[in-house]
Amino acid sequence: MIHAKLVVDSDFVISELDRRIFGTFVEHMGRCVYTGIFEPGHPTADETGLRQDVMALTRELGPTIVRYPGGNFMSGYNWEDGVGPREDRPVRLDLAWYSTETNQFGTNEFIDWCRKADIEPMLGVNLGTRGLDEARAYIEYCNHPGGTTLSELRRSHGQDQPHGVRFWCLGNEMDGPWQIGRKTAEEYGRIAVETAKLLRSVDPTIQLAACGSSAHNMPTYGTWEDTVLDHCFEQVDFISLHTYFENKHDATEEFLGNIDVTDTFIQEIVAVADSVAARKHSTKRIMLSFDEWNVWYKSRGIDDLRKPGWPVAPRLIEEVYNFEDALVNGGALMVLMNHADRVKVACLAQLVNVIGPIMTEPGGPAWRQTIFHPFALTARHAHGRVLRPVIDSPSYEAKTFPEIRYLCASVTDDPATGRTVVFALNRHLGEEMDLKVHLRGLGRQRTLVEAAELHHVNMKATNTREAPDTVTPAPHTRVSVDGEVLTARLKPGSWNMFVTHATDRG
Ligand code: AHR
Protein backbone atom coordinates (compact mmCIF):
# COMPACT_ATOMS: atom_id res chain seq x y z
CA MET A 1 0.00 0.00 0.00
CA ILE A 2 1.21 3.49 -0.78
CA HIS A 3 -0.02 6.67 0.90
CA ALA A 4 -0.85 9.97 -0.80
CA LYS A 5 -2.26 13.26 0.37
CA LEU A 6 -4.11 15.88 -1.62
CA VAL A 7 -4.86 19.33 -0.18
CA VAL A 8 -7.07 21.97 -1.76
CA ASP A 9 -8.27 25.24 -0.30
CA SER A 10 -11.26 27.34 -1.20
CA ASP A 11 -8.99 30.38 -1.55
CA PHE A 12 -6.47 28.73 -3.86
CA VAL A 13 -8.19 28.83 -7.22
CA ILE A 14 -6.48 28.17 -10.56
CA SER A 15 -9.33 29.60 -12.59
CA GLU A 16 -12.95 29.25 -13.52
CA LEU A 17 -13.28 26.13 -15.66
CA ASP A 18 -14.11 26.88 -19.29
CA ARG A 19 -16.24 23.88 -20.11
CA ARG A 20 -15.17 24.12 -23.73
CA ILE A 21 -12.22 21.95 -22.65
CA PHE A 22 -14.69 19.07 -22.95
CA GLY A 23 -14.78 19.39 -26.73
CA THR A 24 -14.41 16.76 -29.41
CA PHE A 25 -13.77 16.58 -33.14
CA VAL A 26 -15.63 15.44 -36.26
CA GLU A 27 -13.46 15.21 -39.38
CA HIS A 28 -14.33 14.05 -42.87
CA MET A 29 -11.99 11.13 -42.40
CA GLY A 30 -12.69 7.41 -42.61
CA ARG A 31 -16.04 6.68 -40.98
CA CYS A 32 -16.31 9.59 -38.58
CA VAL A 33 -19.01 11.34 -40.62
CA TYR A 34 -20.25 8.65 -43.02
CA THR A 35 -21.58 5.62 -41.08
CA GLY A 36 -20.48 7.46 -37.93
CA ILE A 37 -22.76 10.38 -37.13
CA PHE A 38 -24.52 10.25 -40.54
CA GLU A 39 -25.97 7.14 -42.13
CA PRO A 40 -29.23 7.52 -44.09
CA GLY A 41 -31.06 4.20 -44.06
CA HIS A 42 -29.63 3.11 -40.72
CA PRO A 43 -32.42 1.69 -38.51
CA THR A 44 -31.95 4.55 -36.01
CA ALA A 45 -31.45 7.37 -38.55
CA ASP A 46 -33.80 10.33 -38.37
CA GLU A 47 -35.35 11.92 -41.45
CA THR A 48 -32.08 13.77 -42.16
CA GLY A 49 -29.90 10.66 -41.91
CA LEU A 50 -28.42 11.37 -38.46
CA ARG A 51 -27.88 8.19 -36.46
CA GLN A 52 -29.84 8.50 -33.24
CA ASP A 53 -27.92 5.75 -31.50
CA VAL A 54 -24.74 7.80 -32.02
CA MET A 55 -26.61 10.96 -31.05
CA ALA A 56 -27.67 9.35 -27.75
CA LEU A 57 -24.11 8.22 -26.99
CA THR A 58 -22.80 11.67 -27.92
CA ARG A 59 -25.20 13.26 -25.47
CA GLU A 60 -24.06 10.80 -22.81
CA LEU A 61 -20.39 11.57 -23.60
CA GLY A 62 -21.25 15.24 -23.08
CA PRO A 63 -18.95 17.24 -25.38
CA THR A 64 -19.51 20.98 -25.22
CA ILE A 65 -17.95 22.03 -28.55
CA VAL A 66 -17.08 20.10 -31.72
CA ARG A 67 -14.39 20.94 -34.27
CA TYR A 68 -15.19 20.45 -37.97
CA PRO A 69 -14.48 19.66 -40.88
CA GLY A 70 -10.86 18.61 -40.09
CA GLY A 71 -8.01 18.03 -39.43
CA ASN A 72 -5.91 17.51 -42.48
CA PHE A 73 -9.10 17.31 -44.55
CA MET A 74 -9.66 21.03 -43.90
CA SER A 75 -6.58 21.95 -45.95
CA GLY A 76 -8.05 20.66 -49.21
CA TYR A 77 -11.75 21.31 -48.59
CA ASN A 78 -14.10 23.52 -50.59
CA TRP A 79 -16.92 24.38 -48.19
CA GLU A 80 -19.15 25.29 -51.15
CA ASP A 81 -19.10 21.63 -52.24
CA GLY A 82 -21.01 20.66 -49.11
CA VAL A 83 -23.96 23.07 -49.25
CA GLY A 84 -27.08 23.30 -51.38
CA PRO A 85 -29.14 20.54 -53.00
CA ARG A 86 -27.47 17.19 -52.42
CA GLU A 87 -27.92 16.01 -56.00
CA ASP A 88 -25.86 19.00 -57.23
CA ARG A 89 -22.93 18.48 -54.88
CA PRO A 90 -19.69 17.43 -56.54
CA VAL A 91 -17.85 14.21 -55.78
CA ARG A 92 -14.16 14.96 -55.13
CA LEU A 93 -10.90 13.24 -54.38
CA ASP A 94 -9.87 13.90 -50.79
CA LEU A 95 -6.09 14.20 -51.01
CA ALA A 96 -5.62 14.25 -47.24
CA TRP A 97 -6.96 10.73 -46.72
CA TYR A 98 -6.92 9.32 -50.28
CA SER A 99 -10.66 8.83 -50.19
CA THR A 100 -13.63 9.83 -52.32
CA GLU A 101 -15.66 12.62 -50.72
CA THR A 102 -19.32 12.56 -51.75
CA ASN A 103 -20.17 15.84 -50.00
CA GLN A 104 -23.52 14.44 -48.94
CA PHE A 105 -22.76 15.88 -45.51
CA GLY A 106 -21.56 19.48 -45.19
CA THR A 107 -21.66 22.59 -43.05
CA ASN A 108 -25.44 22.91 -42.73
CA GLU A 109 -25.87 19.25 -41.83
CA PHE A 110 -23.09 19.66 -39.26
CA ILE A 111 -24.78 22.72 -37.74
CA ASP A 112 -28.10 20.85 -37.61
CA TRP A 113 -26.36 17.93 -35.90
CA CYS A 114 -24.79 20.33 -33.35
CA ARG A 115 -28.15 21.94 -32.63
CA LYS A 116 -29.81 18.57 -32.10
CA ALA A 117 -26.95 17.40 -29.89
CA ASP A 118 -26.86 20.75 -28.02
CA ILE A 119 -23.18 21.29 -28.80
CA GLU A 120 -21.37 24.45 -29.89
CA PRO A 121 -19.87 24.21 -33.40
CA MET A 122 -16.24 25.11 -34.09
CA LEU A 123 -15.28 25.60 -37.75
CA GLY A 124 -11.95 25.81 -39.54
CA VAL A 125 -10.99 27.57 -42.76
CA ASN A 126 -8.82 26.07 -45.48
CA LEU A 127 -5.42 27.76 -45.47
CA GLY A 128 -3.83 24.93 -47.46
CA THR A 129 -5.19 25.09 -51.01
CA ARG A 130 -7.17 28.28 -50.39
CA GLY A 131 -7.01 31.44 -48.34
CA LEU A 132 -8.47 34.87 -47.70
CA ASP A 133 -11.24 34.95 -50.25
CA GLU A 134 -12.67 31.55 -49.35
CA ALA A 135 -12.43 32.29 -45.64
CA ARG A 136 -14.34 35.58 -45.84
CA ALA A 137 -16.98 33.94 -48.03
CA TYR A 138 -17.36 30.99 -45.62
CA ILE A 139 -17.95 33.15 -42.56
CA GLU A 140 -20.31 35.44 -44.46
CA TYR A 141 -22.30 32.41 -45.59
CA CYS A 142 -22.43 31.08 -42.03
CA ASN A 143 -22.72 34.10 -39.75
CA HIS A 144 -24.12 37.05 -41.70
CA PRO A 145 -27.85 37.42 -41.01
CA GLY A 146 -29.03 38.19 -44.56
CA GLY A 147 -29.26 40.69 -47.38
CA THR A 148 -26.06 39.69 -49.18
CA THR A 149 -25.65 37.08 -51.89
CA LEU A 150 -23.82 34.63 -49.64
CA SER A 151 -26.09 35.02 -46.61
CA GLU A 152 -29.16 34.75 -48.83
CA LEU A 153 -27.62 31.64 -50.37
CA ARG A 154 -27.55 30.09 -46.89
CA ARG A 155 -31.16 31.12 -46.35
CA SER A 156 -32.10 29.58 -49.69
CA HIS A 157 -30.51 26.37 -48.37
CA GLY A 158 -33.10 26.23 -45.61
CA GLN A 159 -30.96 27.94 -42.96
CA ASP A 160 -32.89 31.10 -42.26
CA GLN A 161 -31.04 32.07 -39.10
CA PRO A 162 -27.28 32.68 -39.10
CA HIS A 163 -25.24 29.85 -37.66
CA GLY A 164 -23.51 32.17 -35.17
CA VAL A 165 -20.32 30.12 -35.17
CA ARG A 166 -18.15 31.78 -32.55
CA PHE A 167 -14.91 29.79 -32.64
CA TRP A 168 -12.83 29.56 -35.85
CA CYS A 169 -9.56 27.75 -36.55
CA LEU A 170 -7.12 29.37 -38.96
CA GLY A 171 -6.18 26.20 -40.83
CA ASN A 172 -4.80 22.96 -39.42
CA GLU A 173 -1.27 21.76 -38.55
CA MET A 174 0.29 24.06 -41.14
CA ASP A 175 3.83 23.13 -39.97
CA GLY A 176 3.43 19.43 -40.87
CA PRO A 177 5.14 18.02 -43.99
CA TRP A 178 1.99 15.92 -44.54
CA GLN A 179 -0.24 18.98 -44.65
CA ILE A 180 -1.75 20.04 -47.97
CA GLY A 181 -0.29 23.49 -48.60
CA ARG A 182 2.22 23.29 -45.73
CA LYS A 183 3.81 26.62 -44.90
CA THR A 184 6.82 28.03 -43.16
CA ALA A 185 6.09 29.88 -39.93
CA GLU A 186 6.62 33.18 -41.78
CA GLU A 187 4.24 32.24 -44.60
CA TYR A 188 1.63 30.93 -42.20
CA GLY A 189 1.93 33.87 -39.81
CA ARG A 190 1.29 36.26 -42.70
CA ILE A 191 -1.74 34.45 -44.10
CA ALA A 192 -3.11 33.84 -40.59
CA VAL A 193 -3.06 37.52 -39.64
CA GLU A 194 -4.61 38.65 -42.92
CA THR A 195 -7.30 35.97 -42.75
CA ALA A 196 -8.01 36.84 -39.13
CA LYS A 197 -8.53 40.50 -40.07
CA LEU A 198 -11.08 39.58 -42.72
CA LEU A 199 -12.95 37.08 -40.56
CA ARG A 200 -13.22 39.66 -37.78
CA SER A 201 -14.40 42.29 -40.24
CA VAL A 202 -17.33 40.08 -41.18
CA ASP A 203 -18.08 39.09 -37.57
CA PRO A 204 -16.31 40.98 -34.76
CA THR A 205 -17.76 38.64 -32.10
CA ILE A 206 -15.71 35.58 -33.09
CA GLN A 207 -12.74 33.96 -31.39
CA LEU A 208 -9.79 32.82 -33.50
CA ALA A 209 -7.17 30.13 -33.03
CA ALA A 210 -3.86 30.15 -34.90
CA CYS A 211 -2.10 26.85 -35.56
CA GLY A 212 0.64 25.97 -33.14
CA SER A 213 3.02 23.07 -33.75
CA SER A 214 1.32 19.84 -34.77
CA ALA A 215 3.25 18.05 -32.01
CA HIS A 216 5.73 19.02 -29.33
CA ASN A 217 8.48 16.96 -31.02
CA MET A 218 8.31 18.85 -34.33
CA PRO A 219 11.68 20.30 -35.38
CA THR A 220 10.29 23.84 -35.43
CA TYR A 221 8.49 23.48 -32.07
CA GLY A 222 8.68 26.70 -30.09
CA THR A 223 10.14 28.84 -32.84
CA TRP A 224 7.00 28.13 -34.90
CA GLU A 225 4.74 29.55 -32.19
CA ASP A 226 7.07 32.49 -31.64
CA THR A 227 7.11 33.50 -35.31
CA VAL A 228 3.42 32.85 -35.92
CA LEU A 229 2.37 34.84 -32.87
CA ASP A 230 4.79 37.60 -33.75
CA HIS A 231 2.63 38.10 -36.85
CA CYS A 232 -0.86 37.54 -35.52
CA PHE A 233 -0.66 38.24 -31.77
CA GLU A 234 -3.09 41.15 -31.94
CA GLN A 235 -5.57 39.36 -34.18
CA VAL A 236 -5.93 35.94 -32.56
CA ASP A 237 -7.19 34.76 -29.19
CA PHE A 238 -5.78 31.23 -29.13
CA ILE A 239 -2.80 29.16 -30.20
CA SER A 240 -3.50 25.47 -30.84
CA LEU A 241 -1.73 22.40 -29.42
CA HIS A 242 -2.02 18.78 -30.58
CA THR A 243 -0.91 15.63 -28.73
CA TYR A 244 -1.38 11.93 -29.35
CA PHE A 245 -0.19 9.70 -26.50
CA GLU A 246 1.70 6.54 -27.42
CA ASN A 247 2.66 3.44 -25.50
CA LYS A 248 5.87 3.08 -27.49
CA HIS A 249 7.63 0.52 -25.33
CA ASP A 250 4.54 -1.36 -24.12
CA ALA A 251 5.35 -0.10 -20.64
CA THR A 252 2.19 0.95 -18.82
CA GLU A 253 3.82 3.05 -16.07
CA GLU A 254 5.83 4.98 -18.66
CA PHE A 255 2.68 5.41 -20.76
CA LEU A 256 0.79 6.79 -17.75
CA GLY A 257 3.72 9.10 -17.08
CA ASN A 258 3.38 10.63 -20.55
CA ILE A 259 0.45 12.56 -19.17
CA ASP A 260 3.02 14.74 -17.39
CA VAL A 261 4.69 15.56 -20.70
CA THR A 262 1.46 17.40 -21.57
CA ASP A 263 1.89 19.45 -18.43
CA THR A 264 5.32 20.57 -19.67
CA PHE A 265 3.98 21.11 -23.18
CA ILE A 266 1.34 23.53 -21.89
CA GLN A 267 3.82 25.39 -19.70
CA GLU A 268 6.23 25.80 -22.63
CA ILE A 269 3.58 27.15 -25.00
CA VAL A 270 2.36 29.56 -22.32
CA ALA A 271 5.99 30.71 -21.89
CA VAL A 272 6.44 31.28 -25.64
CA ALA A 273 3.13 33.13 -25.97
CA ASP A 274 3.91 35.31 -22.97
CA SER A 275 7.39 36.08 -24.25
CA VAL A 276 5.78 37.38 -27.46
CA ALA A 277 3.49 39.48 -25.27
CA ALA A 278 6.53 40.81 -23.40
CA ARG A 279 8.28 41.68 -26.66
CA LYS A 280 5.21 43.60 -27.71
CA HIS A 281 4.79 45.27 -24.30
CA SER A 282 1.30 43.83 -24.20
CA THR A 283 -0.83 42.76 -21.27
CA LYS A 284 -2.92 40.55 -23.57
CA ARG A 285 -2.70 36.83 -22.85
CA ILE A 286 -3.07 34.28 -25.64
CA MET A 287 -5.13 31.29 -24.51
CA LEU A 288 -4.52 27.67 -25.48
CA SER A 289 -6.80 25.56 -27.64
CA PHE A 290 -5.76 21.91 -27.21
CA ASP A 291 -7.89 21.09 -30.22
CA GLU A 292 -6.59 17.58 -30.91
CA TRP A 293 -5.63 15.15 -28.16
CA ASN A 294 -6.08 11.45 -27.55
CA VAL A 295 -4.23 8.15 -27.37
CA TRP A 296 -3.27 7.04 -30.88
CA TYR A 297 -0.49 4.60 -31.75
CA LYS A 298 -1.91 1.16 -32.50
CA SER A 299 -3.54 2.02 -35.81
CA ARG A 300 -0.95 4.41 -37.17
CA GLY A 301 0.67 2.42 -39.98
CA ILE A 302 0.33 3.41 -43.63
CA ASP A 303 -2.34 0.69 -44.06
CA ASP A 304 -4.40 2.35 -41.35
CA LEU A 305 -4.07 5.80 -42.87
CA ARG A 306 -4.72 5.02 -46.52
CA LYS A 307 -6.69 2.39 -48.43
CA PRO A 308 -6.18 1.72 -52.13
CA GLY A 309 -8.75 2.60 -54.80
CA TRP A 310 -10.10 5.94 -53.49
CA PRO A 311 -12.87 4.35 -51.38
CA VAL A 312 -15.78 6.25 -49.83
CA ALA A 313 -15.57 6.30 -46.02
CA PRO A 314 -12.96 3.54 -45.61
CA ARG A 315 -12.00 2.12 -42.22
CA LEU A 316 -9.16 4.47 -41.22
CA ILE A 317 -7.38 4.56 -37.86
CA GLU A 318 -10.16 2.68 -36.07
CA GLU A 319 -8.10 2.38 -32.92
CA VAL A 320 -9.52 -0.13 -30.45
CA TYR A 321 -8.93 1.35 -27.03
CA ASN A 322 -7.98 -0.69 -23.99
CA PHE A 323 -8.17 -0.04 -20.28
CA GLU A 324 -4.75 1.62 -19.94
CA ASP A 325 -5.70 4.04 -22.75
CA ALA A 326 -8.71 5.07 -20.66
CA LEU A 327 -6.44 5.72 -17.67
CA VAL A 328 -4.21 7.95 -19.81
CA ASN A 329 -7.18 9.90 -21.11
CA GLY A 330 -8.66 10.31 -17.65
CA GLY A 331 -5.34 11.64 -16.39
CA ALA A 332 -4.92 13.94 -19.40
CA LEU A 333 -8.25 15.56 -18.58
CA MET A 334 -6.92 16.26 -15.07
CA VAL A 335 -3.85 17.97 -16.54
CA LEU A 336 -6.04 20.07 -18.85
CA MET A 337 -8.24 21.11 -15.92
CA ASN A 338 -5.19 21.96 -13.83
CA HIS A 339 -4.26 24.48 -16.53
CA ALA A 340 -7.72 26.02 -16.62
CA ASP A 341 -6.21 29.50 -16.43
CA ARG A 342 -4.77 29.13 -19.95
CA VAL A 343 -6.36 26.07 -21.58
CA LYS A 344 -9.85 27.29 -22.43
CA VAL A 345 -10.69 24.90 -25.26
CA ALA A 346 -9.75 21.27 -25.95
CA CYS A 347 -11.01 18.62 -28.35
CA LEU A 348 -10.77 14.88 -27.89
CA ALA A 349 -9.86 13.68 -31.39
CA GLN A 350 -12.12 12.34 -32.76
CA LEU A 351 -15.74 11.44 -31.88
CA VAL A 352 -16.75 8.31 -33.78
CA ASN A 353 -14.82 5.38 -35.32
CA VAL A 354 -11.73 7.42 -36.22
CA ILE A 355 -9.74 7.24 -32.94
CA GLY A 356 -13.12 7.72 -31.34
CA PRO A 357 -14.71 7.07 -27.96
CA ILE A 358 -17.75 5.80 -29.88
CA MET A 359 -17.60 2.90 -32.36
CA THR A 360 -20.25 1.90 -34.88
CA GLU A 361 -20.97 -0.73 -37.45
CA PRO A 362 -22.66 0.32 -40.70
CA GLY A 363 -26.28 -0.78 -40.37
CA GLY A 364 -25.41 -2.17 -36.94
CA PRO A 365 -24.90 -1.09 -33.34
CA ALA A 366 -22.91 1.67 -31.69
CA TRP A 367 -20.95 1.18 -28.47
CA ARG A 368 -18.71 2.93 -25.97
CA GLN A 369 -14.96 2.41 -26.15
CA THR A 370 -12.99 2.34 -22.88
CA ILE A 371 -11.93 5.99 -23.25
CA PHE A 372 -15.58 7.04 -23.34
CA HIS A 373 -15.99 6.66 -19.60
CA PRO A 374 -13.50 9.03 -17.94
CA PHE A 375 -14.44 11.72 -20.48
CA ALA A 376 -18.19 11.30 -19.90
CA LEU A 377 -17.90 11.34 -16.10
CA THR A 378 -15.52 14.30 -16.06
CA ALA A 379 -17.58 16.32 -18.54
CA ARG A 380 -20.74 15.62 -16.54
CA HIS A 381 -19.38 16.48 -13.10
CA ALA A 382 -16.60 19.10 -13.52
CA HIS A 383 -18.21 22.50 -13.02
CA GLY A 384 -17.31 25.82 -11.50
CA ARG A 385 -13.69 26.56 -10.69
CA VAL A 386 -10.57 24.45 -10.57
CA LEU A 387 -8.73 24.40 -7.23
CA ARG A 388 -4.96 24.17 -7.03
CA PRO A 389 -4.12 20.58 -6.03
CA VAL A 390 -1.21 20.28 -3.59
CA ILE A 391 -0.08 16.67 -3.90
CA ASP A 392 2.13 14.67 -1.60
CA SER A 393 2.72 11.29 -3.20
CA PRO A 394 5.56 8.83 -3.75
CA SER A 395 6.87 8.94 -7.28
CA TYR A 396 8.60 6.83 -9.93
CA GLU A 397 10.91 7.34 -12.87
CA ALA A 398 10.28 6.54 -16.53
CA LYS A 399 12.18 7.11 -19.78
CA THR A 400 9.93 10.00 -20.70
CA PHE A 401 10.01 11.81 -17.40
CA PRO A 402 12.38 11.77 -14.41
CA GLU A 403 9.86 12.06 -11.58
CA ILE A 404 6.25 10.98 -11.92
CA ARG A 405 3.95 11.08 -8.91
CA TYR A 406 1.82 7.99 -8.52
CA LEU A 407 -1.11 10.25 -7.73
CA CYS A 408 -2.46 12.42 -10.52
CA ALA A 409 -5.43 14.53 -9.41
CA SER A 410 -7.67 17.47 -10.12
CA VAL A 411 -10.41 19.11 -8.06
CA THR A 412 -13.32 21.24 -9.24
CA ASP A 413 -15.60 23.20 -6.99
CA ASP A 414 -18.89 24.86 -7.81
CA PRO A 415 -19.97 27.41 -5.18
CA ALA A 416 -23.35 27.67 -6.90
CA THR A 417 -24.24 24.06 -6.12
CA GLY A 418 -21.93 23.40 -3.17
CA ARG A 419 -20.40 20.47 -5.04
CA THR A 420 -16.69 19.68 -4.89
CA VAL A 421 -15.45 16.89 -7.16
CA VAL A 422 -12.17 15.02 -6.77
CA PHE A 423 -10.68 13.21 -9.78
CA ALA A 424 -7.79 10.89 -8.91
CA LEU A 425 -5.60 8.45 -10.80
CA ASN A 426 -3.47 5.85 -9.02
CA ARG A 427 -0.56 5.21 -11.38
CA HIS A 428 0.95 2.51 -9.18
CA LEU A 429 0.25 -0.79 -10.90
CA GLY A 430 1.06 -3.07 -7.99
CA GLU A 431 -0.12 -1.25 -4.88
CA GLU A 432 -3.35 0.17 -3.62
CA MET A 433 -3.26 3.84 -2.68
CA ASP A 434 -4.51 5.13 0.64
CA LEU A 435 -5.63 8.63 -0.34
CA LYS A 436 -6.50 11.44 2.05
CA VAL A 437 -8.05 14.55 0.53
CA HIS A 438 -8.25 17.70 2.66
CA LEU A 439 -10.98 19.99 1.36
CA ARG A 440 -10.20 23.18 3.27
CA GLY A 441 -12.64 26.05 3.62
CA LEU A 442 -15.30 24.31 1.56
CA GLY A 443 -17.70 23.38 4.37
CA ARG A 444 -17.55 20.68 7.01
CA GLN A 445 -21.00 19.18 6.63
CA ARG A 446 -20.03 17.20 3.63
CA THR A 447 -21.71 14.19 2.10
CA LEU A 448 -20.75 11.90 -0.72
CA VAL A 449 -23.14 12.27 -3.66
CA GLU A 450 -21.53 9.85 -6.09
CA ALA A 451 -18.32 7.85 -6.23
CA ALA A 452 -17.08 5.90 -9.24
CA GLU A 453 -14.00 3.94 -10.22
CA LEU A 454 -12.74 2.68 -13.54
CA HIS A 455 -10.68 -0.43 -13.05
CA HIS A 456 -9.89 -3.70 -14.76
CA VAL A 457 -7.37 -6.36 -13.84
CA ASN A 458 -6.23 -6.53 -17.46
CA MET A 459 -4.64 -3.34 -18.81
CA LYS A 460 -5.28 -4.59 -22.34
CA ALA A 461 -9.02 -5.22 -21.83
CA THR A 462 -11.19 -3.68 -24.56
CA ASN A 463 -14.85 -3.04 -25.24
CA THR A 464 -16.10 -4.74 -28.38
CA ARG A 465 -19.33 -5.06 -30.28
CA GLU A 466 -19.87 -8.46 -28.64
CA ALA A 467 -18.75 -7.35 -25.16
CA PRO A 468 -19.29 -3.58 -25.03
CA ASP A 469 -19.16 -3.25 -21.23
CA THR A 470 -15.97 -5.11 -20.39
CA VAL A 471 -14.43 -1.87 -19.15
CA THR A 472 -17.09 0.24 -17.50
CA PRO A 473 -17.28 2.40 -14.37
CA ALA A 474 -18.43 0.85 -11.10
CA PRO A 475 -19.55 2.50 -7.86
CA HIS A 476 -16.60 3.22 -5.57
CA THR A 477 -17.34 1.65 -2.21
CA ARG A 478 -14.15 2.21 -0.24
CA VAL A 479 -14.51 5.91 0.42
CA SER A 480 -15.69 7.93 3.40
CA VAL A 481 -16.05 11.58 4.23
CA ASP A 482 -15.53 13.01 7.68
CA GLY A 483 -15.78 16.79 7.96
CA GLU A 484 -13.20 18.27 5.61
CA VAL A 485 -11.40 15.00 4.98
CA LEU A 486 -12.22 12.44 2.31
CA THR A 487 -10.48 9.09 2.66
CA ALA A 488 -10.42 6.55 -0.15
CA ARG A 489 -8.63 3.39 -1.10
CA LEU A 490 -7.70 3.44 -4.80
CA LYS A 491 -7.06 0.20 -6.63
CA PRO A 492 -3.69 -0.22 -8.38
CA GLY A 493 -3.95 1.33 -11.85
CA SER A 494 -7.35 2.96 -11.42
CA TRP A 495 -9.21 6.16 -12.31
CA ASN A 496 -11.55 7.47 -9.61
CA MET A 497 -14.11 10.22 -9.10
CA PHE A 498 -15.71 11.47 -5.88
CA VAL A 499 -18.59 13.94 -6.02
CA THR A 500 -19.23 15.59 -2.66
CA HIS A 501 -21.66 18.20 -1.43
CA ALA A 502 -21.44 20.54 1.55
CA THR A 503 -24.48 22.21 3.09
CA ASP A 504 -22.53 24.66 5.27
CA ARG A 505 -20.56 26.69 2.74
CA GLY A 506 -19.42 30.10 3.99
O1 AHR B 1 -7.03 13.27 -36.04
C1 AHR B 1 -6.38 12.69 -37.13
C2 AHR B 1 -5.41 13.66 -37.79
O2 AHR B 1 -4.34 13.89 -36.91
C3 AHR B 1 -5.92 15.04 -38.11
O3 AHR B 1 -6.56 15.11 -39.33
C4 AHR B 1 -4.66 15.84 -38.15
O4 AHR B 1 -4.89 17.20 -37.84
C5 AHR B 1 -3.75 15.14 -37.16
O5 AHR B 1 -2.48 14.96 -37.67
Side-chain angles (χ1 to χ4, degrees):
M1 166 113 70
I2 56 168
H3 298 269
K5 184 170 140 187
L6 167 62
V7 180
V8 292
D9 189 300
S10 170
D11 287 331
F12 299 158
V13 178
I14 295 173
S15 171
E16 284 295 310
L17 177 68
D18 190 326
R19 285 185 40 83
R20 291 180 299 176
I21 73 161
F22 304 122
T24 180
F25 177 28
V26 167
E27 176 166 10
H28 282 252
M29 176 181 183
R31 300 192 307 115
C32 189
V33 171
Y34 304 108
T35 74
I37 62 174
F38 177 70
E39 189 179 342
H42 186 273
T44 71
D46 69 6
E47 67 290 352
T48 62
L50 300 175
R51 277 182 71 150
Q52 295 306 298
D53 56 348
V54 175
M55 180 70 79
L57 287 178
T58 302
R59 285 177 179 279
E60 185 185 326
L61 184 72
T64 49
I65 189 166
V66 177
R67 184 168 177 247
Y68 176 87
N72 297 341
F73 176 80
M74 189 195 292
S75 299
Y77 184 50
N78 300 337
W79 67 268
E80 304 90 328
D81 292 349
V83 298
R86 283 211 168 100
E87 59 278 15
D88 297 341
R89 298 188 192 177
V91 175
R92 304 257 189 221
L93 293 183
D94 162 21
L95 301 180
W97 302 116
Y98 299 90
S99 309
T100 295
E101 174 56 55
T102 63
N103 284 305
Q104 292 302 293
F105 189 95
T107 301
N108 295 327
E109 287 83 18
F110 173 68
I111 297 289
D112 283 341
W113 180 84
C114 286
R115 286 191 187 124
K116 287 176 181 168
D118 198 18
I119 299 173
E120 179 182 344
M122 172 195 297
L123 292 179
V125 297
N126 173 353
L127 295 186
T129 59
R130 307 184 86 187
L132 297 177
D133 199 35
E134 176 260 352
R136 71 166 174 172
Y138 195 19
I139 195 169
E140 186 179 329
Y141 177 89
C142 288
N143 282 11
H144 195 67
T148 65
T149 300
L150 283 163
S151 54
E152 291 302 323
L153 182 65
R154 182 199 69 241
R155 297 183 70 205
S156 77
H157 292 158
Q159 300 283 338
D160 190 46
Q161 294 304 311
H163 294 331
V165 178
R166 185 163 170 241
F167 197 101
W168 292 79
C169 304
L170 296 161
N172 176 69
E173 294 189 347
M174 297 308 301
D175 62 327
W178 56 86
Q179 201 65 216
I180 297 170
R182 176 202 188 184
K183 295 185 170 35
T184 64
E186 280 288 339
E187 291 166 345
Y188 173 68
R190 286 288 306 129
I191 195 169
V193 66
E194 296 304 325
T195 307
K197 278 158 55 182
L198 281 192
L199 292 173
R200 278 199 200 288
S201 299
V202 177
D203 184 348
T205 69
I206 58 171
Q207 291 192 313
L208 287 168
C211 291
S213 299
S214 48
H216 68 273
N217 58 0
M218 294 299 285
T220 53
Y221 174 59
T223 59
W224 170 275
E225 284 80 358
D226 187 71
T227 306
V228 167
L229 286 176
D230 199 47
H231 283 287
C232 60
F233 183 85
E234 298 299 344
Q235 292 292 340
V236 304
D237 309 285
F238 287 83
I239 186 88
S240 73
L241 297 83
H242 291 180
T243 278
Y244 290 103
F245 299 103
E246 299 178 46
N247 189 358
K248 275 192 181 141
H249 309 108
D250 194 13
T252 304
E253 280 197 351
E254 177 188 310
F255 186 32
L256 295 174
N258 290 347
I259 298 165
D260 292 13
V261 179
T262 303
D263 196 68
T264 310
F265 187 10
I266 292 169
Q267 289 176 40
E268 287 171 353
I269 296 303
V270 166
V272 174
D274 290 354
S275 85
V276 178
R279 202 158 68 226
K280 292 179 181 290
H281 304 284
S282 173
T283 54
K284 175 177 175 178
R285 288 295 174 262
I286 297 287
M287 296 299 158
L288 274 50
S289 173
F290 221 120
D291 52 35
E292 283 187 36
W293 72 272
N294 203 343
V295 169
W296 175 24
Y297 67 98
K298 301 180 211 79
S299 59
R300 221 166 167 163
I302 190 71
D303 296 346
D304 300 298
L305 286 159
R306 176 200 281 216
K307 305 287 178 197
W310 300 97
V312 174
R315 288 179 187 264
L316 300 183
I317 60 170
E318 299 201 356
E319 184 110 340
V320 176
Y321 288 106
N322 58 31
F323 171 55
E324 64 187 2
D325 299 335
L327 294 180
V328 168
N329 273 16
L333 281 166
M334 296 172 201
V335 172
L336 293 176
M337 288 193 283
N338 288 341
H339 286 282
D341 54 336
R342 298 304 287 268
V343 180
K344 301 291 181 185
V345 174
C347 301
L348 179 70
Q350 299 184 7
L351 178 66
V352 194
N353 293 326
V354 176
I355 46 174
I358 300 170
M359 285 293 268
T360 71
E361 270 303 314
W367 63 96
R368 303 166 190 82
Q369 292 232 58
T370 61
I371 60 167
F372 184 100
H373 297 294
F375 188 101
L377 286 170
T378 308
R380 191 175 317 147
H381 291 288
H383 290 267
R385 53 199 193 145
V386 184
L387 302 179
R388 186 167 303 288
V390 179
I391 293 175
D392 183 5
S393 159
S395 56
Y396 64 102
E397 197 186 322
K399 275 191 194 126
T400 39
F401 224 71
E403 195 190 345
I404 300 159
R405 287 186 300 224
Y406 283 111
L407 175 64
C408 177
S410 181
V411 180
T412 60
D413 175 65
D414 189 356
T417 61
R419 284 193 172 196
T420 306
V421 186
V422 178
F423 301 92
L425 182 67
N426 177 10
R427 292 191 268 198
H428 202 300
L429 303 182
E431 299 281 346
E432 292 201 326
M433 178 182 284
D434 174 45
L435 173 66
K436 285 216 169 359
V437 185
H438 297 259
L439 302 164
R440 292 186 183 157
L442 297 159
R444 300 184 71 85
Q445 284 168 22
R446 183 166 297 281
T447 52
L448 197 63
V449 176
E450 186 177 333
E453 70 177 2
L454 192 67
H455 179 258
H456 200 282
V457 286
N458 178 7
M459 285 287 162
K460 308 298 179 192
T462 58
N463 291 346
T464 60
R465 175 185 177 156
E466 292 72 30
D469 296 321
T470 304
V471 177
T472 199
H476 201 302
T477 52
R478 296 190 300 167
V479 53
S480 60
V481 179
D482 182 11
E484 292 189 331
V485 182
L486 179 148
T487 307
R489 189 70 66 83
L490 312 186
K491 287 182 181 156
S494 66
W495 178 93
N496 307 268
M497 182 195 73
F498 307 106
V499 182
T500 70
H501 179 253
T503 50
D504 60 338
R505 299 286 291 249

